[in-house]
mmCIF file of all heavy atoms in Angstrom:
data_model
loop_
_atom_site.group_PDB
_atom_site.id
_atom_site.type_symbol
_atom_site.label_atom_id
_atom_site.label_comp_id
_atom_site.label_asym_id
_atom_site.label_seq_id
_atom_site.Cartn_x
_atom_site.Cartn_y
_atom_site.Cartn_z
ATOM 1 N N ALA A 66 15.628 -15.350 116.608
ATOM 2 C CA ALA A 66 14.864 -14.806 117.734
ATOM 3 C C ALA A 66 13.440 -15.357 117.728
ATOM 4 O O ALA A 66 12.889 -15.699 118.782
ATOM 5 C CB ALA A 66 14.854 -13.281 117.677
ATOM 6 N N ALA A 67 12.834 -15.456 116.550
ATOM 7 C CA ALA A 67 11.476 -15.987 116.453
ATOM 8 C C ALA A 67 11.434 -17.450 116.881
ATOM 9 O O ALA A 67 10.505 -17.879 117.573
ATOM 10 C CB ALA A 67 10.944 -15.829 115.028
ATOM 11 N N ALA A 68 12.441 -18.229 116.497
ATOM 12 C CA ALA A 68 12.490 -19.639 116.927
ATOM 13 C C ALA A 68 12.584 -19.723 118.449
ATOM 14 O O ALA A 68 11.894 -20.523 119.084
ATOM 15 C CB ALA A 68 13.672 -20.350 116.269
ATOM 16 N N ALA A 69 13.418 -18.871 119.043
ATOM 17 C CA ALA A 69 13.566 -18.859 120.502
ATOM 18 C C ALA A 69 12.256 -18.467 121.176
ATOM 19 O O ALA A 69 11.844 -19.079 122.164
ATOM 20 C CB ALA A 69 14.684 -17.907 120.916
ATOM 21 N N ARG A 70 11.589 -17.457 120.653
ATOM 22 C CA ARG A 70 10.345 -16.963 121.258
ATOM 23 C C ARG A 70 9.165 -17.885 121.017
ATOM 24 O O ARG A 70 8.175 -17.831 121.747
ATOM 25 C CB ARG A 70 10.008 -15.581 120.711
ATOM 26 C CG ARG A 70 10.930 -14.520 121.271
ATOM 27 C CD ARG A 70 10.394 -13.147 121.125
ATOM 28 N NE ARG A 70 9.089 -13.019 121.760
ATOM 29 C CZ ARG A 70 8.136 -12.204 121.332
ATOM 30 N NH1 ARG A 70 8.324 -11.463 120.273
ATOM 31 N NH2 ARG A 70 6.993 -12.122 121.956
ATOM 32 N N SER A 71 9.225 -18.722 120.012
ATOM 33 C CA SER A 71 8.067 -19.545 119.665
ATOM 34 C C SER A 71 7.680 -20.524 120.764
ATOM 35 O O SER A 71 6.542 -20.968 120.816
ATOM 36 C CB SER A 71 8.303 -20.289 118.348
ATOM 37 O OG SER A 71 9.263 -21.321 118.525
ATOM 38 N N VAL A 72 8.613 -20.840 121.656
ATOM 39 C CA VAL A 72 8.289 -21.730 122.776
ATOM 40 C C VAL A 72 7.876 -20.958 124.023
ATOM 41 O O VAL A 72 7.430 -21.548 124.998
ATOM 42 C CB VAL A 72 9.458 -22.688 123.113
ATOM 43 C CG1 VAL A 72 9.760 -23.610 121.938
ATOM 44 C CG2 VAL A 72 10.694 -21.924 123.543
ATOM 45 N N ALA A 73 8.050 -19.646 124.020
ATOM 46 C CA ALA A 73 7.675 -18.783 125.145
ATOM 47 C C ALA A 73 7.239 -17.434 124.590
ATOM 48 O O ALA A 73 7.898 -16.421 124.799
ATOM 49 C CB ALA A 73 8.852 -18.628 126.103
ATOM 50 N N PRO A 74 6.119 -17.403 123.844
ATOM 51 C CA PRO A 74 5.743 -16.176 123.131
ATOM 52 C C PRO A 74 5.433 -14.987 124.032
ATOM 53 O O PRO A 74 5.437 -13.850 123.555
ATOM 54 C CB PRO A 74 4.514 -16.589 122.318
ATOM 55 C CG PRO A 74 4.045 -17.856 122.905
ATOM 56 C CD PRO A 74 5.207 -18.500 123.574
ATOM 57 N N GLU A 75 5.210 -15.227 125.303
ATOM 58 C CA GLU A 75 4.920 -14.118 126.210
ATOM 59 C C GLU A 75 6.176 -13.348 126.611
ATOM 60 O O GLU A 75 6.086 -12.283 127.207
ATOM 61 C CB GLU A 75 4.191 -14.642 127.463
ATOM 62 C CG GLU A 75 5.047 -15.498 128.382
ATOM 63 C CD GLU A 75 5.333 -16.929 127.880
ATOM 64 O OE1 GLU A 75 4.778 -17.360 126.863
ATOM 65 O OE2 GLU A 75 6.144 -17.609 128.541
ATOM 66 N N THR A 76 7.345 -13.867 126.275
ATOM 67 C CA THR A 76 8.600 -13.209 126.617
ATOM 68 C C THR A 76 9.217 -12.576 125.383
ATOM 69 O O THR A 76 8.820 -12.860 124.253
ATOM 70 C CB THR A 76 9.623 -14.209 127.205
ATOM 71 O OG1 THR A 76 9.935 -15.176 126.195
ATOM 72 C CG2 THR A 76 9.087 -14.910 128.436
ATOM 73 N N GLY A 77 10.218 -11.752 125.611
ATOM 74 C CA GLY A 77 11.011 -11.210 124.524
ATOM 75 C C GLY A 77 12.384 -11.867 124.564
ATOM 76 O O GLY A 77 12.696 -12.626 125.490
ATOM 77 N N VAL A 78 13.194 -11.597 123.571
ATOM 78 C CA VAL A 78 14.581 -12.063 123.577
ATOM 79 C C VAL A 78 15.471 -10.940 123.083
ATOM 80 O O VAL A 78 15.042 -10.083 122.301
ATOM 81 C CB VAL A 78 14.808 -13.332 122.710
ATOM 82 C CG1 VAL A 78 14.064 -14.525 123.268
ATOM 83 C CG2 VAL A 78 14.445 -13.107 121.260
ATOM 84 N N VAL A 79 16.704 -10.936 123.561
ATOM 85 C CA VAL A 79 17.722 -10.018 123.054
ATOM 86 C C VAL A 79 18.912 -10.852 122.603
ATOM 87 O O VAL A 79 19.231 -11.879 123.203
ATOM 88 C CB VAL A 79 18.150 -8.958 124.098
ATOM 89 C CG1 VAL A 79 17.007 -7.997 124.390
ATOM 90 C CG2 VAL A 79 18.637 -9.603 125.379
ATOM 91 N N THR A 80 19.544 -10.405 121.540
ATOM 92 C CA THR A 80 20.692 -11.122 120.986
ATOM 93 C C THR A 80 21.903 -10.902 121.882
ATOM 94 O O THR A 80 22.270 -9.763 122.178
ATOM 95 C CB THR A 80 21.012 -10.616 119.568
ATOM 96 O OG1 THR A 80 19.824 -10.636 118.786
ATOM 97 C CG2 THR A 80 22.097 -11.463 118.914
ATOM 98 N N ILE A 81 22.535 -11.998 122.290
ATOM 99 C CA ILE A 81 23.757 -11.935 123.088
ATOM 100 C C ILE A 81 24.972 -12.091 122.171
ATOM 101 O O ILE A 81 25.952 -11.371 122.290
ATOM 102 C CB ILE A 81 23.766 -13.025 124.184
ATOM 103 C CG1 ILE A 81 22.580 -12.824 125.132
ATOM 104 C CG2 ILE A 81 25.093 -13.048 124.936
ATOM 105 C CD1 ILE A 81 22.557 -11.508 125.865
ATOM 106 N N GLU A 82 24.910 -13.048 121.258
ATOM 107 C CA GLU A 82 25.989 -13.204 120.281
ATOM 108 C C GLU A 82 25.444 -13.900 119.051
ATOM 109 O O GLU A 82 24.431 -14.573 119.103
ATOM 110 C CB GLU A 82 27.187 -13.959 120.869
ATOM 111 C CG GLU A 82 26.936 -15.415 121.242
ATOM 112 C CD GLU A 82 27.046 -16.393 120.074
ATOM 113 O OE1 GLU A 82 27.815 -16.144 119.136
ATOM 114 O OE2 GLU A 82 26.333 -17.401 120.100
ATOM 115 N N MET A 83 26.176 -13.702 117.941
ATOM 116 C CA MET A 83 25.753 -14.284 116.671
ATOM 117 C C MET A 83 26.979 -14.500 115.795
ATOM 118 O O MET A 83 27.856 -13.645 115.734
ATOM 119 C CB MET A 83 24.782 -13.317 115.993
ATOM 120 C CG MET A 83 24.262 -13.757 114.670
ATOM 121 S SD MET A 83 23.034 -12.536 114.089
ATOM 122 C CE MET A 83 22.851 -13.091 112.407
ATOM 123 N N LYS A 84 27.034 -15.659 115.145
ATOM 124 C CA LYS A 84 28.105 -15.955 114.191
ATOM 125 C C LYS A 84 27.448 -16.291 112.862
ATOM 126 O O LYS A 84 26.516 -17.089 112.808
ATOM 127 C CB LYS A 84 28.952 -17.143 114.636
ATOM 128 C CG LYS A 84 30.067 -17.449 113.642
ATOM 129 C CD LYS A 84 30.660 -18.819 113.851
ATOM 130 C CE LYS A 84 31.787 -19.104 112.894
ATOM 131 N NZ LYS A 84 31.409 -19.141 111.488
ATOM 132 N N THR A 85 27.927 -15.667 111.798
ATOM 133 C CA THR A 85 27.332 -15.855 110.481
ATOM 134 C C THR A 85 28.387 -16.294 109.476
ATOM 135 O O THR A 85 29.495 -15.763 109.458
ATOM 136 C CB THR A 85 26.689 -14.541 109.983
ATOM 137 O OG1 THR A 85 25.766 -14.092 110.963
ATOM 138 C CG2 THR A 85 25.977 -14.741 108.663
ATOM 139 N N SER A 86 28.005 -17.246 108.627
ATOM 140 C CA SER A 86 28.839 -17.682 107.509
ATOM 141 C C SER A 86 28.042 -17.495 106.224
ATOM 142 O O SER A 86 26.879 -17.916 106.137
ATOM 143 C CB SER A 86 29.215 -19.158 107.642
ATOM 144 O OG SER A 86 29.970 -19.379 108.807
ATOM 145 N N PHE A 87 28.662 -16.849 105.253
ATOM 146 C CA PHE A 87 28.038 -16.645 103.946
ATOM 147 C C PHE A 87 28.642 -17.664 102.987
ATOM 148 O O PHE A 87 29.848 -17.702 102.800
ATOM 149 C CB PHE A 87 28.298 -15.229 103.442
ATOM 150 C CG PHE A 87 27.699 -14.173 104.331
ATOM 151 C CD1 PHE A 87 28.478 -13.511 105.267
ATOM 152 C CD2 PHE A 87 26.354 -13.857 104.242
ATOM 153 C CE1 PHE A 87 27.935 -12.537 106.091
ATOM 154 C CE2 PHE A 87 25.792 -12.885 105.062
ATOM 155 C CZ PHE A 87 26.590 -12.228 105.989
ATOM 156 N N MET A 88 27.786 -18.483 102.359
ATOM 157 C CA MET A 88 28.277 -19.553 101.495
ATOM 158 C C MET A 88 28.166 -19.241 100.014
ATOM 159 O O MET A 88 28.987 -19.690 99.232
ATOM 160 C CB MET A 88 27.557 -20.848 101.827
ATOM 161 C CG MET A 88 28.155 -21.414 103.091
ATOM 162 S SD MET A 88 27.201 -22.476 104.082
ATOM 163 C CE MET A 88 26.008 -21.596 104.899
ATOM 164 N N GLN A 89 27.132 -18.497 99.664
ATOM 165 C CA GLN A 89 26.970 -18.068 98.276
ATOM 166 C C GLN A 89 26.059 -16.854 98.251
ATOM 167 O O GLN A 89 25.388 -16.566 99.244
ATOM 168 C CB GLN A 89 26.420 -19.194 97.410
ATOM 169 C CG GLN A 89 25.024 -19.639 97.748
ATOM 170 C CD GLN A 89 24.578 -20.762 96.802
ATOM 171 O OE1 GLN A 89 25.256 -21.107 95.839
ATOM 172 N NE2 GLN A 89 23.432 -21.321 97.068
ATOM 173 N N PRO A 90 26.033 -16.119 97.148
ATOM 174 C CA PRO A 90 25.207 -14.914 97.095
ATOM 175 C C PRO A 90 23.731 -15.216 97.353
ATOM 176 O O PRO A 90 23.199 -16.222 96.875
ATOM 177 C CB PRO A 90 25.414 -14.400 95.671
ATOM 178 C CG PRO A 90 26.717 -14.986 95.239
ATOM 179 C CD PRO A 90 26.806 -16.324 95.916
ATOM 180 N N SER A 91 23.088 -14.349 98.100
ATOM 181 C CA SER A 91 21.649 -14.454 98.378
ATOM 182 C C SER A 91 20.922 -13.616 97.342
ATOM 183 O O SER A 91 20.887 -12.397 97.433
ATOM 184 C CB SER A 91 21.354 -13.948 99.791
ATOM 185 O OG SER A 91 22.026 -14.736 100.741
ATOM 186 N N VAL A 92 20.357 -14.285 96.355
ATOM 187 C CA VAL A 92 19.739 -13.610 95.216
ATOM 188 C C VAL A 92 18.283 -14.042 95.094
ATOM 189 O O VAL A 92 17.960 -15.216 95.277
ATOM 190 C CB VAL A 92 20.493 -13.958 93.908
ATOM 191 C CG1 VAL A 92 19.838 -13.300 92.703
ATOM 192 C CG2 VAL A 92 21.945 -13.560 94.012
ATOM 193 N N GLY A 93 17.416 -13.086 94.750
ATOM 194 C CA GLY A 93 16.016 -13.392 94.487
ATOM 195 C C GLY A 93 15.213 -13.598 95.752
ATOM 196 O O GLY A 93 15.646 -13.230 96.842
ATOM 197 N N PRO A 94 14.042 -14.210 95.624
ATOM 198 C CA PRO A 94 13.225 -14.486 96.809
ATOM 199 C C PRO A 94 13.986 -15.429 97.749
ATOM 200 O O PRO A 94 14.558 -16.424 97.325
ATOM 201 C CB PRO A 94 11.977 -15.179 96.248
ATOM 202 C CG PRO A 94 11.936 -14.818 94.798
ATOM 203 C CD PRO A 94 13.369 -14.624 94.390
ATOM 204 N N LEU A 95 13.992 -15.070 99.019
ATOM 205 C CA LEU A 95 14.708 -15.849 100.031
ATOM 206 C C LEU A 95 13.747 -16.288 101.119
ATOM 207 O O LEU A 95 12.717 -15.661 101.336
ATOM 208 C CB LEU A 95 15.818 -15.001 100.663
ATOM 209 C CG LEU A 95 16.831 -14.373 99.723
ATOM 210 C CD1 LEU A 95 17.730 -13.398 100.489
ATOM 211 C CD2 LEU A 95 17.664 -15.457 99.042
ATOM 212 N N HIS A 96 14.106 -17.360 101.793
ATOM 213 C CA HIS A 96 13.398 -17.708 103.022
ATOM 214 C C HIS A 96 14.426 -18.224 104.019
ATOM 215 O O HIS A 96 15.424 -18.843 103.648
ATOM 216 C CB HIS A 96 12.252 -18.697 102.793
ATOM 217 C CG HIS A 96 12.667 -20.021 102.249
ATOM 218 N ND1 HIS A 96 12.930 -20.236 100.922
ATOM 219 C CD2 HIS A 96 12.863 -21.203 102.856
ATOM 220 C CE1 HIS A 96 13.267 -21.496 100.737
ATOM 221 N NE2 HIS A 96 13.233 -22.117 101.891
ATOM 222 N N ALA A 97 14.196 -17.895 105.267
ATOM 223 C CA ALA A 97 15.094 -18.320 106.342
ATOM 224 C C ALA A 97 14.315 -19.216 107.280
ATOM 225 O O ALA A 97 13.146 -18.956 107.582
ATOM 226 C CB ALA A 97 15.633 -17.110 107.095
#
Side-chain angles (χ1 to χ4, degrees):
R70 287 198 57 211
S71 71
V72 297
E75 69 285 353
T76 63
V78 295
V79 293
T80 309
I81 299 299
E82 66 83 30
M83 179 176 168
K84 180 196 182 296
T85 305
S86 298
F87 297 99
M88 282 155 287
Q89 65 179 353
S91 298
V92 178
L95 305 171
H96 62 280

